[in-house]
Amino acid sequence: MNILLIGSGGREHALAWQLAQSPSCAKLYAAPGNPGIEVYAECAPIAADDVDALVAFVRTHDIDFVVAGPEAPLVAGLADKLHAIDIPTFGPQAAAARLEGSKGFTKDLCARAGIPTAAYVRCADAAEARAALADFALPVVIKADGLAAGKGVIIAETRAEAEAAIDDMFGGAFGGAGAEVVIEEFLTGEEASFFALSDGVNVVAFGSAQDHKRVGDGDTGPNTGGMGAYSPAPVLTADLEGEVMERIIRPTVAALAADGTPYAGVLFAGLMLTDEGPKLIEYNCRFGDPECQVLMIRFRGDLAALLHAAATGGLAEAPPPMLTHDYALTVVMAANGYPGTPEKGGAIRGIAEAEAGGVRVFHAGTAREDRTIVAAGGRVLNVTATGKSVTEAQARAYAAVDKLDFPTGFCRRDIGWREVAREAE
């Protein structure tokens, strides 16, 4: 198959790395790609959310299959337009992509289908939201309804913080994502991420991970798109994974199919493991970033064929996903200033040295200036290593980080800390 991969981040570099190894992949294109992706794919300078230009590229380049990395083109209807010209697409059509595009839509679906999640209310203006706060204990979670690049969630410890978050969201701090706000009960427990593939009817598990959202060591500072992750997440035991499949994933797929909007793609469930069992925090309609990086480095098999099966209703006949029993851990190197205004243009050297010994450095926000790789975004690199334990994978990842020469970048130094502590017990 000739495959077009859409996106330009670390997630897409990891997908490109695996797709290029797939026996089913004849030719790989990427739009827009990045300096890491161009090693494996022919890159086209088309923005990931330029749906019409992407469709035109598919028409003129003999593309057989499209893999959507980020969520924005899916929410904007990319899969709908590609299905209209009979191009299989890994990623849901717009009606089903509302699972990520609207937090309120997902909460309403959970309520209808009996899927365990936090109590909530949807609010259309600031006055309504302020009044609804009285029904929630503190801390309380305030969420922008729409897409906000992983940053539209505020955990408010006081009513004043909650009101300030409401005012910010309705005041345009997250653009159109804050046109509606969801207020949620604060859940207590440990967070984990679970992934499954769906072809609209059939569902198969695709592993677990644990992300680190806060910018600073010890889970301090503001939320980010993710500062690192490891996979699998042992806290999500086999029994709990079975419960997640039966009480959360399968009912979601069934509810969307019953509504006439079948879901084909990857379901990324953000979970809270509470004393009452796993509860859904939110859904994403794409592989996580940086969770995808640790999943892809563990994956074995023909990824292109597996994703094509999900896109074309063939999961029941496809071999199940195979992931190694090793642990994988990725450390995000970010540009100084992130998650505020990142410092762009800083030179990066030492990537080849960091990759010695089997470590992978995935490009997340880089550009090429002459022969030098430079920072071009907030999250810049994903240094990804494997090991027989999280402790070993962590040590190998940080040893690689220390070989990088990136003076305008920084990272957390404690990715995987919960599991490292448990392994030391």
Side-chain angles (χ1 to χ4, degrees):
M1 295 182 289
N2 293 334
I3 301 173
L4 172 62
L5 171 65
I6 297 168
S8 62
R11 167 184 49 225
E12 288 78 33
H13 188 180
L15 287 168
W17 174 68
Q18 271 291 356
L19 289 169
Q21 300 176 59
S22 295
S24 298
C25 179
K27 170 79 174 180
L28 182 62
Y29 296 89
N34 66 35
I37 292 172
E38 69 185 16
V39 175
Y40 308 103
E42 181 178 323
C43 295
I46 304 171
D49 58 357
D50 191 343
V51 171
D52 290 338
L54 292 169
V55 173
F57 183 90
V58 166
R59 287 180 177 274
T60 57
H61 286 75
D62 196 26
I63 301 298
D64 302 301
F65 180 41
V66 173
V67 176
E71 66 279 8
L74 295 169
V75 173
L78 173 68
D80 304 66
K81 291 193 174 184
L82 291 173
H83 280 281
I85 57 172
D86 297 322
I87 300 296
T89 305
F90 181 76
Q93 296 189 46
R98 284 182 295 171
L99 280 182
E100 181 164 3
S102 169
K103 295 177 180 65
F105 170 83
T106 297
K107 298 296 286 190
D108 289 349
L109 182 147
C110 288
R112 295 197 312 273
I115 294 168
T117 189
Y120 75 103
V121 63
R122 300 177 70 171
C123 302
D125 58 56
E128 181 184 6
R130 283 169 172 264
L133 286 175
D135 296 328
F136 292 85
L138 294 170
V140 63
V141 183
I142 314 296
K143 295 182 176 181
D145 179 71
L147 299 179
K151 300 173 187 175
V153 178
I154 305 296
I155 299 172
E157 301 287 345
T158 67
R159 182 179 176 94
E161 289 180 8
E163 290 179 347
I166 288 167
D167 290 342
D168 284 347
M169 289 181 187
F170 283 112
F174 299 100
E180 185 173 307
V181 164
V182 175
I183 301 176
E184 285 189 10
E185 164 197 18
F186 178 79
L187 296 177
T188 301
E190 190 165 343
E191 290 189 44
S193 301
F194 182 76
F195 298 83
L197 302 183
S198 169
D199 64 7
V201 177
N202 304 290
V203 185
V204 295
F206 197 92
S208 65
Q210 197 159 44
D211 189 17
H212 300 64
K213 286 293 187 188
R214 300 281 189 171
V215 73
D217 287 5
D219 291 333
T220 58
N223 271 334
T224 71
M227 293 300 293
Y230 63 90
S231 174
V235 69
L236 198 57
T237 64
D239 286 346
L240 285 177
E241 286 194 1
E243 186 176 348
V244 170
M245 284 290 282
E246 295 308 314
R247 298 189 63 202
I248 297 176
I249 302 294
R250 294 189 192 281
T252 299
V253 172
L256 289 170
D259 289 344
T261 56
Y263 190 100
V266 61
L267 274 170
F268 165 11
L271 306 169
M272 185 68 78
L273 306 182
T274 75
D275 291 340
E276 299 172 341
K279 292 188 177 183
L280 180 71
I281 300 172
E282 64 182 9
Y283 270 128
N284 295 309
C285 64
R286 35 70 186 184
F287 283 110
D289 190 346
E291 293 93 341
C292 184
Q293 290 83 313
V294 288
L295 290 171
M296 288 303 118
I297 208 167
R298 295 181 56 221
F299 180 80
R300 297 293 181 270
D302 189 330
L303 182 68
L306 179 63
L307 301 189
H308 189 266
T312 57
L315 276 183
E317 293 78 37
M322 296 183 295
L323 280 74
T324 69
H325 294 296
D326 286 349
Y327 290 89
L329 183 142
T330 191
V331 177
V332 170
M333 292 292 297
N336 288 342
Y338 180 77
T341 302
E343 182 178 343
K344 297 183 180 181
I348 304 164
R349 298 179 176 86
I351 292 177
E353 291 79 3
E355 289 193 318
V359 174
R360 304 295 313 180
V361 178
F362 295 115
H363 293 234
T366 65
R368 190 184 300 280
E369 289 186 0
D370 297 324
R371 301 180 66 179
T372 302
I373 300 297
V374 300
R379 293 184 296 169
V380 179
L381 299 172
N382 308 135
V383 183
T384 311
T386 58
K388 297 301 181 184
S389 63
V390 174
T391 303
E392 181 183 346
Q394 183 197 60
R396 294 188 67 222
Y398 281 112
V401 165
D402 292 338
K403 295 176 183 177
L404 290 168
D405 179 9
F406 182 21
T408 62
F410 74 98
C411 67
R412 279 183 60 164
R413 303 294 306 195
D414 65 345
I415 301 302
W417 66 270
R418 290 182 184 85
E419 199 55 36
V420 168
R422 283 190 279 256
E423 289 176 354
E425 292 175 354

